[in-house]
Amino acid sequence: MAFASKQCPECRAACVIDDEQPPKIREWHFTRLQKRKFKYGFPVWASPAIAIVEGSPMAFFGGYDNTLHALDLAAKQERWFKVTNGPITAPPAVGSVEDIPVVFFGSSDRSVYAHLAYDGTLLWSRELVEPTPTIGQSIVCAPLVQGDTLYVTCFSYDRSFARNDQRGWLFALKKDTGRLLWKVEVSQGPVSSPTGAYVDGKYTVFVAARKGLLSAIDVSQTEPARLWEFQMPHEVMGSPAVLEGDRPMLFLGSKFGNIIALDARTGERIWKRMAGNWIDNTACIGEIGGEPVVFVGSHDYNVYAFKAIDGEFIWRRHLGGEVFSAPAFFYLEGEPALTVASLDNHTYVLNATDGKVTTSYYTGKPIWDTISKGDVLWGSPAVLQAGRQTAVLTGSYNGHFYVLPVYGKSELRAKVRSASSLWIWLIVVAGVFLLVVLPIVIILGPVKSPEKRS
């Protein structure tokens, strides 16, 4: 069993195709508006959601261009797109209404949209916050689909002194019509995307406020009921990852650099581990040797693996840059694997058992000279798991969205070098300098400049 499907929207790890002959997935560097002006502080592309729609693998994602894109990965073409009135900063969710696949997504125009996944036909749209002349840009996070209900969080603020108000809300909408069922205030600041799980037979939604307050809300009844709260030691950017089962647990990182495991029933802390820098995205849960494992990336350049039950350290892998993305867990020929993106402009594929890097891709320099860290969740990679046609999908902050086959040739594939190989090259360079360059310089002596003519 893979726990990847239980992840929050930021790390929808893998969409699996079990066919013996899956459709061929080719490398694709998609871009639509090359001359578009990017807004500093917004993600270029949000994380993608992947789904099989009428037999075809499709990817859905939005970003800086105010547009949701629907890509047919096998046909290598954009099937449809929809333009909103604001940036799309979070991944969509794919569900079904009367057995018809539907894409649900939010936009910074304070609205949630539902479109048919196949051709983009609008099913409904719902404005979450009423506009005012001085309202600021809102943050609508990734929706959570559960049964007949769509859960979505939204933060909005008003810039006027008279209406100076900022609140983060959790909304419950009817999945088929978008009708508002209820809303509850979660924080007086930005909030994460909601995640959910059944706890003792009751469906519970978990939301983390940017200020670090994690809330568990029972939504199994007509009215929501807050079950417990837990205060994290520092700001939180990601969403809680959920492990269901006989002992349901939550995992959440913070800018303090720690990853904390909580009892999903009571909110009591079970264990805590520290990284060397921020953990500002969402953890990922996979399985190694029959045991659930938590994977998390940090701005200390490392990816970590811990046993989910007791937090026992398994491995740590140092990469070439700060790890800003949520890890995505999947399988390569039956072996557990992981993919993450880092600020050295590379996307990596790792062996999830020992953390060894198996391949990497160079995904281009950023649009800006510097990256806005700490206030923005840059998009995370996702995976289409289809045997020899497996591919990593990632939106780069150079303006391109990439479909990168794991097997076969790739234009962007980079040579994987271990730390030992780098030391070997340094020793070789030092030896050439000491044995060849330096003796020549000593023999020839200093070069005399010609005398100036009077």
Side-chain angles (χ1 to χ4, degrees):
M1 175 183 177
F3 295 92
S5 62
K6 304 299 183 184
Q7 298 314 304
C8 71
E10 280 74 13
C11 59
R12 288 177 178 154
C15 176
V16 181
I17 299 179
D18 291 325
D19 297 345
E20 293 184 1
Q21 294 182 338
K24 185 174 182 179
I25 305 301
R26 296 166 292 169
E27 184 173 5
W28 187 7
H29 307 171
F30 170 81
T31 185
R32 181 165 175 264
L33 298 175
Q34 292 182 338
K35 296 183 179 180
R36 175 83 182 189
K37 291 183 178 180
F38 298 84
K39 185 174 180 181
Y40 186 83
F42 276 94
V44 179
W45 298 118
S47 306
I50 310 174
I52 307 301
V53 181
E54 297 190 358
S56 298
M58 295 187 65
F60 306 92
F61 62 94
Y64 70 98
D65 60 354
N66 302 2
T67 305
L68 184 85
H69 302 273
L71 305 186
D72 188 321
L73 302 179
K76 202 176 175 180
Q77 68 179 15
E78 184 175 33
R79 186 175 292 186
W80 55 266
F81 64 89
K82 295 298 175 182
V83 180
T84 69
N85 293 316
I88 298 171
T89 60
V94 182
S96 62
V97 175
E98 297 181 354
D99 296 327
I100 300 174
V102 176
V103 180
F104 304 94
F105 66 97
S107 170
S108 296
D109 61 8
R110 311 176 315 282
S111 298
V112 178
Y113 299 86
H115 290 266
L116 299 187
Y118 178 76
D119 59 6
T121 301
L122 177 66
L123 184 62
W124 54 261
S125 63
R126 175 66 57 194
E127 189 175 59
L128 300 177
V129 180
E130 294 184 1
T132 66
T134 53
I135 195 167
Q137 197 154 28
S138 300
I139 302 174
V140 180
C141 295
L144 169 65
V145 182
Q146 170 59 30
D148 297 328
T149 307
L150 190 74
Y151 301 98
V152 62
T153 53
C154 174
F155 166 72
S156 65
Y157 68 96
D158 202 302
R159 293 170 292 186
S160 72
F161 288 106
R163 291 185 295 267
N164 186 12
D165 188 28
Q166 51 182 348
R167 298 187 183 186
W169 298 90
L170 172 65
F171 296 84
L173 309 176
K174 282 284 291 181
K175 185 176 67 173
D176 54 351
T177 64
R179 179 173 64 88
L180 177 65
L181 299 176
W182 49 259
K183 67 177 183 178
V184 60
E185 183 179 345
V186 180
S187 172
Q188 294 184 346
V191 291
S192 73
S193 299
T195 56
Y198 280 99
V199 179
D200 297 330
K202 298 179 180 180
Y203 194 75
T204 306
V205 173
F206 306 96
V207 180
R210 179 78 60 85
K211 297 178 180 179
L213 185 65
L214 175 61
S215 300
I217 302 172
D218 178 10
V219 297
S220 60
Q221 305 299 322
T222 305
E223 296 294 330
R226 200 178 303 260
L227 299 178
W228 54 259
E229 294 179 340
F230 179 87
Q231 180 62 51
M232 294 288 288
H234 211 284
E235 288 187 348
V236 170
M237 293 290 293
S239 302
V242 185
L243 174 63
E244 294 187 83
D246 297 334
R247 190 187 184 190
M249 298 175 66
L250 300 178
F251 307 91
L252 185 62
S254 78
K255 283 189 180 182
F256 193 70
N258 53 19
I259 176 76
I260 293 179
L262 304 174
D263 188 321
R265 292 188 176 96
T266 63
E268 295 181 1
R269 193 181 79 183
I270 299 175
W271 55 260
K272 179 181 72 172
R273 298 293 179 266
M274 289 292 299
N277 208 322
W278 293 349
I279 297 175
D280 64 355
N281 214 309
T282 305
C284 174
I285 306 171
E287 186 181 274
I288 297 177
E291 292 188 43
V293 176
V294 179
F295 304 96
V296 67
S298 170
H299 281 261
D300 66 359
Y301 289 50
N302 289 298
V303 179
Y304 295 84
F306 302 98
K307 288 186 178 180
I309 300 302
D310 56 11
E312 179 183 341
F313 174 81
I314 301 177
W315 55 257
R316 177 180 63 187
R317 179 59 56 189
H318 191 275
L319 300 179
E322 299 175 45
V323 182
F324 66 87
S325 82
F329 181 84
F330 63 107
Y331 286 93
L332 280 177
E333 297 182 325
E335 295 297 322
L338 206 67
T339 181
V340 295
S342 75
L343 287 179
D344 65 345
N345 309 327
H346 282 71
T347 296
Y348 293 87
V349 177
L350 290 73
N351 184 312
T353 302
D354 56 13
K356 181 180 179 181
V357 177
T358 58
T359 190
S360 67
Y361 306 89
Y362 175 72
T363 50
K365 294 183 179 180
I367 298 163
W368 305 286
D369 293 334
T370 57
I371 296 296
S372 178
K373 297 185 297 184
D375 295 319
V376 176
L377 277 182
W378 299 96
S380 300
V383 178
L384 177 66
Q385 182 180 312
R388 300 294 297 183
Q389 300 300 323
T390 296
V392 173
L393 281 65
T394 184
S396 172
Y397 37 82
N398 70 353
H400 289 76
F401 183 86
Y402 293 109
V403 179
L404 304 169
V406 175
Y407 299 100
K409 295 181 179 180
S410 171
E411 290 182 26
L412 303 181
R413 195 183 305 276
K415 185 176 181 180
V416 178
R417 292 181 178 176
S418 64
S420 59
S421 67
L422 294 177
W423 279 109
I424 292 172
W425 275 105
L426 287 174
I427 293 172
V428 170
V429 171
V432 170
F433 176 78
L434 292 174
L435 300 178
V436 179
V437 178
L438 188 59
I440 293 175
V441 172
I442 294 174
I443 293 172
L444 296 178
V447 179
K448 297 181 178 180
S449 59
E451 296 181 357
K452 294 183 179 180
R453 294 183 179 180
S454 58

